[in-house]
Amino acid sequence: MSQELSVVGKRLLRPDAPDKATGAAKYTGDMKLPGMLIGRVLKSPHAHAKVLDIDTSRAKALPGVKAVITMADVPQKPFNRNLLTLARPSKAEDKSRDEFIFNPKARFVGDAVAAVAAINDSIAEEALKVIRVEYEKLPAVFDPLEAMAPNAPRIHDYAERNIASHILYPFPKGDVEKGFEEADYIVEETFVTSKQKHCQLEPTACVANFDSGGRLVIRSPCQLMHLAKRQLADIFDMPEGMIRWLTPYIGGGFGQRLSLTNEPICVALASKAGRPVKLEDTREEDFLMRESRQPFIETGKLGVTKDGIIVALQSRLIADAGAYFTHSGLTTFVNMLNFMGLYRCPNLACEADVVYTNTPISGGMRGYGNPEAIFALEQLIDMAAEGIGMDPLEFRLKNIKREGEPSPSPSIPIESTALHECIRVGAERIDWKSKRATKKGGVKQRDVGMACNTCGSGAAPAFLEHANAFVKFNADGSANLVVSPCEMGTGILGVLAQIAAEELGLGSEDIHIVTGDTDITQFDIGSHASRSTYVIGNAVLRAAREAKEKLLERAAKLLEVPARELEVRNRRIFVPLHPDKGVSVAEIVRNAIYNFQGESLNISGRCSFDPGGSRPFLATFVEVEVDTETGQVKVLKVVMVPDCGRAINPTSLEGQLEGAAAQGIGYALTEDFVINTDSGVLISDNFATYRIPTTLYVPEIEVVLVEKPVPSGPFGARGAGELGMMGMAAAIANAIYNAVGVRIKTLPMTPEKILNALKTK
Amino acid sequence: MKKQIANFVVNGEPYEVVLDPRMTLLELLRDELVLTGTKYGCGSGECGACTVLVDGNPVPSCLILAVTVRGKKILTIEGLAQNNTLHPVQKAFVECGAIQCGFCTPGMILTAKALLEENLNPTRQQVRESLAGNLCRCTGYVKSVDAVISAVEEMRRGGATS
């Protein structure tokens, strides 16, 4: 087989880009259906309160109001909005199903209590104002450590001391106590990560209506639509086949859309009103009612020999779930896997408590526990290196795992890693040696820092991971590709088209992608865990291969040569040694469809693919400047060196890493989710108070691709969606320490914290 | 409040609307005129997703009452391409890979267009300063700045059509 690729590896334009550039791209909030009503949600103003009584009579009487619903009007089935729970074997009694559409007890300021649908937004707002709710206020607790105290208010009946779950690291090794005894140097430190918000530009929206057949049609930007359909069917006790889930263009996800959001309320309103309903979040509601990144208190301990070998690694985690469980168990699990699994170490132990608090709900955000783990781990690495007098870069090179060793999911060995090279390349690009050696002086101090990490390409074996793809040829020789990723800006549609085109010998413009409709697409989890390129890409490759085989079979008959002697390239099937002996793809396809010899066929191929795993790696280097008078940190330069196997589309890959780097800079330095600790009211509920990086805050980012194709990936590719997020905060923390000698262990690393640390140094 | 008949000029087209004086320009565009390319991102003028040009100047349409821009020249993203030909800034955003989820894109493209019509030789820093009011969560801005710089060439060659 020829190794020269014509489509894969090229910086092709994304198929969705032109629509987005002209405003033609339609997002959920742009949808307008005849008779559509506007929904609004009434939220609890109290952080912890029983809902005793709701009087909706005045709201119902308002002209223009078509539906008012409370807990009495909706199914009383408890659920966990986290859709990934459906992708794991279910347990008979699952305590994580701890919420209802409207909860009889509000557990955070913003918990939904009632909803209305009216002919316009103003009337809906008016209706909310005249709903009378009688609350019985309860004492509330906002800090996880306080929540675990013996006399803390009980948030969920089943959870003593508000501990939702105690989790042990499932793959312990050796004996950490003995390991620490053998260590020459031990570092132990506690790190606190923050409740970062996804801040995807498109606020949550949903349009629900029941069509003439009584089927429920939902339009929503969910990342996991096949799972969402099932979850919704469960909650409303309706057959899943009566639900059709459509996904218009999605304005960013980053993990905000791994759960049901406002769909249940929207569906309940549509059902009550008998008309389509659009329910959209305001930006304030997005901050308040939608999930955030999981905050952790992580106490990590690392033991190392004087020769720089890690001998023991231990961690104790407290995960702040917020008011409901959602993703908290899973993000904790991912945190543990990545903390324990990045470096070679014979003695490992870790345990965690997931704790409820009366705060807005924690969920999963890009990295899903991994960046949080890395913030702790990669600083401990630097601290240990300093303790034994070794360059932290050399220390990492000594301890990172090689091919064949267990990955963070220990049953899956590392298929391929170029991390050593990534570190060396990055160090050179940022000029590590000379910048570290340059001695400082003056008010503004500069230095460099680094971090490395891995992440998943899919979440096998822990999660259901199979992907389904279908390719069918059209009579003109183009092909339709039916797949179900979630295109939320990652560029996955273009990548999948490139994979299909390469295999089929077509141009990527010949691939028409059909997606975003559960009536047409076969089961796929959707986009999470950076799985789309690796897992869905593999399904696409194999589906295309099956179609290609049928194509070649027909061509073989026509050309009277064995199929194995044929190749497809540039829309033509030919014999490589006699290229003029060939036929166009279009002709073969057309003659198969319009076949009057009794051999008709619409050539197609499909594949249901169940993956193993192959993890990408990343080395992140940053240069910072710290102003010792103001405490402000300026990130001067970022160098990211990923090993993602082959880049199917280098521009898209760079875009994912650059975007993740910017999110990492915000996570590290400016993004602070602030709650009033007397009332539980969210203070940082808009972009003025919650600061995400602007063009002035993100420096030039250099992405250097180290391409080492992996055998199990489609054309050697692995995932990359989350990869760039993991190391930024740690790299910046390490750089700050290198520059001014203070180590900030809580996020965000604000000027105040740096100044305080400098004062007490 | 009493509604009134109001006249608007959007993308060169005249519109007559029964206007509620409380209506913002964003609501007028999206709900009344069904020009949904302009987006609601925050409602408080912070994110730039609602940016349109009024008499050539970028404004946050979520903070402007529609009644105040009657008769003014309003340009939305839908009005930028002419005769199925993309404006150089649109073309550059597509070609430089500066578009990911696309939600910030209309606002960013219009802001960039306004910048280049005022200054056809901006530095990268000047581009960053001009786009500082357009938040993007996907791209990290690297390729967005590349795109604006790359549009300069074509605009110099007279590629701009409006």
Side-chain angles (χ1 to χ4, degrees), chain A residues 403 407 412-419 422 453-458 492 495 499 529-535 537-538 613-618 642-649 653 656 706-723:
Chain A
E403 274 158 34
S407 74
I412 299 181
I414 294 176
E415 180 188 10
S416 164
T417 171
L419 185 55
C422 295
N453 67 273
T454 182
C455 80
S457 276
I492 187 63
V495 162
I499 291 172
S530 307
R531 71 185 284 277
S532 304
T533 298
Y534 181 72
V535 183
N538 257 315
S614 190
R615 290 169 158 272
F617 293 87
L618 177 71
D643 163 22
C644 291
R646 188 191 307 275
I648 305 285
N649 186 316
L653 177 53
Q656 284 298 284
V706 167
E707 288 193 78
K708 196 177 164 199
V710 298
S712 72
F715 298 106
R718 287 193 284 222
E722 296 167 287
L723 188 65

Side-chain angles (χ1 to χ4, degrees), chain A residues 27 30 283 654 693 695 698, chain B residues 39 41 101 128 137 141 143:
Chain A
Y27 301 78
D30 300 330
R283 177 57 60 177
E654 287 163 4
T695 49
V698 182
Chain B
K39 304 300 181 199
C101 86
R128 284 178 177 273
R137 197 53 158 166
Y141 307 108
K143 297 184 188 330

Side-chain angles (χ1 to χ4, degrees), chain B residues 10-104:
Chain B
V10 182
N11 301 331
E13 293 284 324
Y15 291 92
E16 190 183 79
V17 169
V18 178
L19 182 68
D20 182 327
R22 294 172 299 182
M23 185 175 273
T24 64
L25 176 55
L26 180 64
E27 286 164 344
L28 174 82
L29 293 170
R30 289 181 57 80
D31 301 337
E32 288 300 313
L33 306 186
V34 200
L35 292 167
T36 56
T38 311
K39 304 300 181 199
Y40 167 91
C42 73
S44 52
E46 288 288 331
C47 74
C50 70
T51 304
V52 296
L53 301 186
V54 174
D55 290 338
N57 297 311
V59 298
S61 63
C62 72
L63 290 183
I64 296 199
L65 291 178
V67 70
T68 63
V69 293
R70 288 170 296 175
K72 299 203 182 193
K73 226 179 121 193
I74 301 169
L75 183 71
T76 72
I77 191 69
E78 290 94 339
L80 201 49
Q82 296 287 315
N83 302 322
N84 289 324
T85 307
L86 293 182
H87 186 279
V89 175
Q90 287 172 308
K91 192 155 164 271
F93 266 69
V94 172
E95 287 174 356
C96 291
I99 302 177
Q100 292 191 30
C101 86
F103 208 76
C104 77

